[in-house]
Structures are given as structure tokens and as C-alpha cells.
Amino acid sequence: MQLQGFFKKPKNELEKGGRTPAGATAEVHAEPSEICPACKKAVSPGELWDNNLVCSCGHHFRMNARQRIDFIVDSGSFFEMDADLRGQDVIEFPGYDKKLKHARLASGEKEAVVCGTASIGGGACALFVMEPSFMMGSMGTVVGEKITRLFEYATARSLPVVGYTVSGGARMQEGILSLMQMAKTSGAVRRHSDAGNLYITVLTDPTTGGVTASFAMEGDIILAEPGALIGFAGPRVIEQTIRKKLPEGFQRAEFLVQRGFVDRIVPRADQKKMLARLLMLHERG
Amino acid sequence: MKTAYEKVQAARAKGRPSGIGFIKGIFTDFIELHGDRRFAEDSAIVGGIARLRDKPVTVIAMEKGSNTKEKVFRNFGSPNPEGYRKALRLMKQAEKFHRPVICFVDTSGAFCGIGAEERGQGQAIAENLVEMMGLRVPVIAILIGEGGSGGALALAVGDEVWMLENAFYSVISPEGCASILWKDAKRNKEAAECLKLTAADMKQMQVIEQIIQEDGLAFSEVFANLEEQLWNALEEKAHTDLDTLLAARYERFRKFGRLD
């Protein structure tokens, strides 16, 4: 999250219309180098930017939703849906209104997921990408609603769904209605699946809690970014519960592959090609 | 009227009937079936076949245990992935034999530990949600004590969800919420109020169909009432076409946070 500052998307006019063209260039601020948490070396923001926020050592930095969309979809192919849906303080939770406002400012987004249609290497799909700088991608009613609508849209048109997850889990500030989004999205995934459609998830750092325990783990094919933390309970909670330090690499993407819960790890540079191949292999004639 | 936190205390109180208590109090001819056929048996979830009056049903209950020894054996009612997978196996079995499924939910949450993560706690819960959404038999879930987040929801996707008067249902425990909000788990009373977790809150938000009366009744009376209500509800569902039932189940959950 410390690098968040560089990654803000530009404030362009199109943003107001709720559509961001793929290929929009983001500003790179001349900020001092950051230290990569993996190799401990200094990396310049410009270099990182050119490399899709991957350090030369292979460490994948977190990425904002718009940036991901820009690098993953065919240029100009993304059409955003439900861009204006915004969270409401449904149970009048203390401080939530302020938190929402702050999250909107910090992320430049109205909510913690961006949804739309796109083509990836020529393959048409419905796409959702979660936003880490909006309350760490937590799932409240709007996130659940947007993802559900996307699946319903895709089901009606026999479109595959590609979803990038990053989330701390269900959003506490919306109480039980956040929890209900797990069942709601799962119902929409089920209908999409029953109709014979493909759903690919790409799990990114971190994917935890109620998102892991619902649509993140419901893909036909589950991919993950290298080193991504993926789990149900967060590592700190587990350490507090068992009063032990967790082993190195626990709950990382590589660990999940080994345990049989993720199909493949795909580095960022290869994701577009991999998604395109998978979409092509599932083309419905 | 109890405060939200008093409800939380009542739901956790010693001596409150646990999952097995509800099974014994409502059904006859219960035969427990063990194991997930994948990895292990999980004693935090009890399930099997029983009769509701003369009708065979599948019953699944979370069980916390009532004394220290039992609590340890039941892992304090916190299921591991194999518990959820056992429950799913029994639900699929119910589907095969056209038996309705009745789930009793009572857990502080899915177990949080190394083994649970290694064996895919998140995946196990996710799979239950997807499968229960499409299960082609009537499903009724009853929250009898603690409804602890995703670990509770994994047995609470049904055509109807009921809740005992002194049960609670929440996305996070009041203690967890208080430590996040105020860095102080001791402010759980305030957190309980903020979370809107009582049966009355659930009814108001349409998360449950009905509140099962407890106060002023002996548990034997609660069980007798539940038996009657379950019978009536299942009679009605037995006459509902399955596609209609599944469409209604989808809509039941689809409506939460629907924005127009």
C-alpha cells in the first residue's frame, strides 16, 4: 500500500462519464525510489511502471483496478458497467460515511470493484477487477451487486467471466448484508456455470475472508499472481489464535498450488496471453 | 427487552441446548453418519438421517459440546473444511433420495488454524454456497445460537432461514469488530449494537423469515413448536415445483443490497 501514491490514474474527462479507455496513460510522479519488500533494493517508480509494477526480482506490487484493466484488455475494448453504483451506510455504522468518502478520494473509484465487458487477445468476456485502494477491496452490498449483475449479464449473453480478486473480505461496516453478498454472488456464479459458461479467477495479493470463501474460489480455472497471499483467515488472526509464528510461505500462491487449490501461478507479464489462450479454448460455437 | 450484547451472551450461555439437543428434541430415529470421504471426520458438525414425524429428512447441526472434554472433542463448534465437506456430502445424499435438508447453525466461526487453511477452508465454504444454491431439495436453516460469519453461512443457504429469539448472526464477532474499530476487544458491547446482529434486526432486514420464540418457554416447548413449524413449512415446499423453489431461493439472496 505504500506505493499507492504513484499509481493513481489520471483525472481525465472520460472518467466522469464512467468509462476509461484502455491505454490511458497514467502520470508517473517523480517520487523517490521505493524499497522492494522482497529484494530490499531500491526501485524507481518509472522502471516499475514500465514493468507493470513488477520488480526486477519478480516481486509483484499491488495494482489498481484501472491499471490492471489497461494492461490486460485489448486497447479500447473495455466498456464499464454500473460505474455509478456507490456504497451506502446501510446499517448506520459509526464512521462508515467518512470512511467511504476517504476511500473514494484515495482510490478515485466509487466502489471496490470495476466491472465491464472487454476483449482479451480477441476473446470477448465480462471482466471484474477489484480495487485494493478502496477499503482493501472489501465486499459490501455494492461490490456484491456489481459482481452479481456482471454474472447475470454474462449468463444472458453466454459470455465468459474473468475476475481479478483482491480483498480483505466481507465489509464489516455493512454488517450482515455484506455476509449475504457471499451467497448472492455464489448464486449468480452457479447460474452462469449451469449454463455452461467459463469463469476464470485471478487471485492477487491479498485475497482473503469472505471473498476467498465465495466467488474467488468458485472459478472453473483459478490462477494466481506469484507470491499472492490467499486464505480464509488472515495470517495475523491465525498467529493470535494458535500463538505460533506461521511458516515461511504459508498461504502464498505457491503454497496453494502445492495444496491443490490453485491451477497455475501466472506472472503478470504472461497473464494476458494466458487469459487469451484460455478464452480461445472455450470459445462457444 | 434484551440489549444486543445480552442476546450475544444468551446465545453463548452455558446450558443452552446445542445442535445435538435440537436434533434429539425435534426428530426421531436419528442415525448419525460420519466423515467427508475425503480426509477426515469433523466432530464440530453432526449429521445424518432422521424422521420428522413419519417423513425421512437429512439433518445437519453444528455442535459445540457442553462440558470441557466435549468442547475440546467438538473443537468448540468451529468446523474445519472436512466438516463443511461432510455436510455437503450429506446434502448431496439427501438430494439423491429426495429428502429435505434441515441445518442447525451454531458456531463462533469456521476454525482458524494451519490445517484449516492447508485444506482449503475458504474453498470448502465457497463450494457449499454454490452447491446449496442449486440443491434440488428443500433446505431450511435455523440459527440456534452463534451465527459466526462465513462459517455459519456455509450451512445457512436455504429456502427459509429461521432464527431463535436469543441467537445472533453477524459478519464478524463483536470482539473482532471492537478490536478493529477501537483497538479494544473489551468494547464488544458497543460493537454488538453497531453490528445490528439480533433476530429482530435480521427480521427487519429480511435476512430471516421468522423468529422462533424462546423467552417464557421451556426448551421442550421450543422444540415442539419447531417440529410443528418445520412440518408445515416442508409440507408446503413438498408441493412446490423444484424449479420454482430454486428460483425463489436465488431471489431470496439476490434481493440483499439490490440497487435500482
Side-chain angles (χ1 to χ4, degrees):
Chain A
M1 292 301 289
Q2 54 187 347
L3 278 168
Q4 212 167 281
F6 326 155
F7 309 150
K8 258 179 216 158
K9 65 188 171 113
K11 305 286 175 217
N12 57 41
E13 287 155 25
L14 280 157
E15 188 193 322
K16 291 176 201 152
R19 281 184 187 183
T20 299
T25 48
E27 258 176 275
V28 178
H29 303 291
E31 287 189 31
S33 297
E34 284 290 337
I35 304 296
C36 169
C39 69
K40 316 285 181 209
K41 288 190 188 132
V43 279
S44 82
E47 219 175 287
L48 264 185
W49 186 265
D50 292 340
N51 204 19
N52 284 322
L53 304 184
V54 179
C55 175
S56 54
C57 77
H59 175 74
H60 285 52
F61 285 87
R62 280 176 195 158
M63 204 175 202
N64 293 129
R66 302 282 166 185
Q67 250 180 313
R68 276 197 192 279
I69 292 168
D70 283 353
F71 97 89
I72 218 74
V73 308
D74 300 336
S75 180
S77 73
F78 182 69
F79 290 93
E80 189 170 356
M81 290 159 56
D82 298 317
D84 293 326
L85 291 191
R86 46 207 282 148
Q88 278 161 16
D89 188 6
V90 283
I91 60 166
E92 293 166 0
F93 197 90
Y96 184 39
D97 238 0
K98 217 166 127 191
K99 208 160 169 87
L100 275 177
K101 277 184 198 133
H102 183 263
R104 282 180 195 130
L105 280 172
S107 64
E109 298 294 343
K110 293 198 177 74
E111 257 295 344
V113 68
V114 178
C115 298
T117 57
S119 72
I120 299 174
C125 65
L127 175 70
F128 72 83
V129 182
M130 300 185 81
E131 174 57 59
S133 62
F134 196 107
M135 295 180 77
M136 192 34 87
S138 74
M139 171 162 65
T141 49
V142 173
V143 170
E145 179 70 14
K146 285 178 83 166
I147 288 174
T148 300
R149 285 188 187 187
L150 189 77
F151 272 95
E152 288 176 340
Y153 178 93
T155 306
R157 289 158 186 81
S158 301
L159 272 178
V161 173
V162 173
Y164 273 81
T165 61
V166 52
S167 183
R171 191 176 296 171
M172 177 179 80
Q173 292 85 348
E174 292 187 28
I176 201 70
L177 294 174
S178 293
L179 193 73
M180 292 301 114
Q181 303 310 310
M182 292 170 63
K184 173 169 135 182
T185 52
S186 297
V189 171
R190 168 84 191 213
R191 285 193 163 185
H192 183 255
S193 178
D194 282 349
N197 297 304
L198 172 70
Y199 172 33
I200 304 171
T201 53
V202 188
L203 314 181
T204 75
D205 186 63
T207 296
T208 59
V211 166
T212 298
S214 61
F215 58 83
M217 281 293 170
E218 291 166 359
D220 297 295
I221 295 171
I222 303 179
L223 308 176
E225 283 199 334
L229 180 85
I230 303 157
F232 179 60
R236 248 181 316 168
V237 181
I238 302 175
E239 284 184 342
Q240 280 165 12
T241 310
I242 62 172
R243 297 196 178 88
K244 267 196 288 198
K245 270 231 89 41
L246 291 169
E248 189 69 27
F250 186 70
Q251 296 183 308
R252 296 289 165 184
E254 296 72 15
F255 172 90
L256 271 90
V257 170
Q258 199 187 71
R259 299 289 164 182
F261 291 101
V262 163
D263 285 294
R264 295 179 75 88
I265 290 174
V266 187
R268 213 167 269 165
D270 302 334
Q271 285 170 11
K272 181 171 183 173
K273 210 184 268 173
M274 176 59 72
L275 290 170
R277 281 172 67 194
L278 288 170
L279 289 172
M280 218 66 97
L281 284 164
H282 292 83
E283 255 185 358
R284 304 185 72 179
Chain B
M1 263 309 267
K2 289 191 180 79
T3 64
Y5 190 67
E6 284 165 352
K7 296 268 187 195
V8 171
Q9 285 176 309
R12 291 171 174 168
K14 221 176 143 181
R16 185 178 178 81
S18 59
I20 291 176
F22 278 76
I23 294 178
K24 288 189 175 154
I26 298 168
F27 306 91
T28 56
D29 212 8
F30 176 59
I31 300 170
E32 186 177 356
L33 302 172
H34 296 276
D36 69 345
R37 302 290 191 273
R38 298 281 185 276
F39 177 74
E41 157 69 357
D42 184 349
S43 315
I45 293 183
V46 170
I49 316 165
R51 280 183 198 276
L52 180 68
R53 298 189 187 170
D54 62 336
K55 203 175 157 72
V57 292
T58 287
V59 289
I60 301 167
M62 289 164 176
E63 171 59 44
K64 288 180 169 174
S66 40
N67 56 47
T68 309
K69 200 176 147 199
E70 246 181 66
K71 279 182 181 156
V72 171
F73 175 64
R74 301 287 179 190
N75 199 29
F76 298 83
S78 284
N80 272 287
E82 44 275 18
Y84 294 113
R85 293 188 180 120
K86 169 170 77 175
L88 182 58
R89 176 177 80 84
L90 296 178
M91 288 187 237
K92 296 295 239 181
Q93 185 186 73
E95 186 178 50
K96 174 175 176 183
F97 296 106
H98 312 289
R99 290 192 287 265
V101 174
I102 299 146
C103 296
F104 296 94
V105 178
D106 186 14
T107 184
S108 59
F111 189 62
C112 156
I114 291 183
E117 293 294 319
E118 280 178 329
R119 298 191 297 278
Q121 188 71 285
Q123 187 275 338
I125 295 170
E127 187 168 8
N128 277 23
L129 303 183
V130 166
E131 290 298 330
M132 291 181 85
M133 271 292 173
L135 203 71
R136 296 184 69 82
V137 286
V139 181
I140 295 179
I142 308 172
L143 294 142
I144 60 171
E146 287 189 273
S149 198
L153 181 67
L155 289 189
V157 177
D159 303 304
E160 292 195 21
V161 180
W162 304 346
M163 188 162 169
L164 268 78
E165 194 176 353
N166 294 320
F168 74 93
Y169 199 7
S170 183
V171 68
I172 186 169
S173 71
E175 292 73 22
C177 174
S179 6
I180 293 173
L181 266 191
W182 303 298
K183 315 260 175 266
D184 182 4
K186 291 195 190 79
R187 290 175 71 178
N188 51 3
K189 291 181 192 66
E190 286 162 76
E193 292 292 339
C194 297
L195 285 165
K196 306 255 186 335
L197 45 65
T198 68
D201 294 324
M202 294 306 128
K203 185 77 174 60
Q204 198 252 324
M205 290 186 275
Q206 297 180 290
V207 173
I208 57 167
E209 273 71 18
Q210 64 164 335
I211 300 173
I212 307 298
Q213 190 197 337
E214 270 184 69
D215 290 348
L217 297 178
F219 261 96
S220 57
E221 295 171 284
V222 174
F223 294 151
N225 291 344
L226 268 175
E227 193 244 25
E228 175 83 25
Q229 285 159 325
L230 279 170
W231 178 261
N232 292 337
L234 291 176
E235 269 295 286
E236 182 206 310
K237 306 226 179 290
H239 296 106
T240 311
D241 157 76
L242 276 175
D243 290 329
T244 311
L245 191 76
L246 286 179
R249 192 183 300 163
Y250 183 82
E251 192 48 40
R252 187 190 184 283
F253 289 91
R254 179 67 186 85
K255 70 175 185 279
F256 299 117
R258 188 193 284 282
L259 299 157
D260 297 307

